[in-house]
Amino acid sequence: MSVGVLLLTHEAMGAALVSAARHVLGKLTLPLDVIEVGSSADPDCMLTEAARHARELDAGEGVLVLTDLYGATPCNVAQRLPALGLNMHCVSGLNLPMLLRVLNYPEQPLDELAQTAASGGRGGIFIDHA
């Protein structure tokens, strides 16, 4: 068994990141799904959809929800999921280095994978000193 991964993002971002991850890695190492929240989406409807996807992804080890922007609708929806009985962690600030790091550690349990996601996201940021 492994942790499921749900990308809960603004429009087009999640699919683009998954496409880039497939390009880099060749295949995805964890069960992964994407929900993209449109600008006119109803948060309550998105919560229902996110809960359904998360339950489908959870094979007993929980779900890691990665969102693009803390405080925005995708993140706010994700933060409501535990109240519905879901075993999950939410990590915000999704970027390609974060997703790649998560997919490179498919054996990690949920708590550890959430930490790996956060460190991968931070560690993928560099300033050119030229």
Side-chain angles (χ1 to χ4, degrees):
M1 285 198 287
S2 60
V3 172
V5 178
L6 177 61
L7 305 188
L8 190 52
T9 69
H10 288 91
E11 291 180 270
M13 183 173 180
L17 287 171
V18 171
S19 178
R22 279 194 176 104
H23 173 76
V24 172
L25 299 175
K27 69 173 190 159
L28 304 179
T29 57
L30 289 168
L32 185 137
D33 205 350
V34 177
I35 297 175
E36 294 175 333
V37 179
S39 59
S40 61
D42 178 331
D44 290 328
C45 290
M46 296 310 312
L47 177 63
T48 301
E49 184 177 350
R52 181 176 57 80
H53 284 257
R55 286 188 178 101
E56 290 171 2
L57 285 167
D58 190 353
E61 298 295 319
V63 176
L64 180 63
V65 181
L66 303 177
T67 67
D68 50 2
L69 183 62
Y70 180 79
T73 301
C75 181
N76 294 339
V77 167
Q79 290 178 333
R80 293 172 59 194
L81 290 170
L84 301 177
L86 291 156
N87 176 25
M88 54 136 317
H89 280 299
C90 176
V91 179
S92 298
L94 175 60
N95 58 23
L96 184 57
M98 177 188 291
L99 181 57
L100 293 174
R101 183 71 62 89
V102 165
L103 294 172
N104 274 299
Y105 292 93
E107 74 287 347
Q108 289 185 343
L110 179 59
D111 291 344
E112 190 175 349
L113 196 57
Q115 293 299 320
T116 296
S119 68
R122 285 188 302 267
I125 299 170
F126 291 89
I127 299 172
D128 182 0
H129 295 289

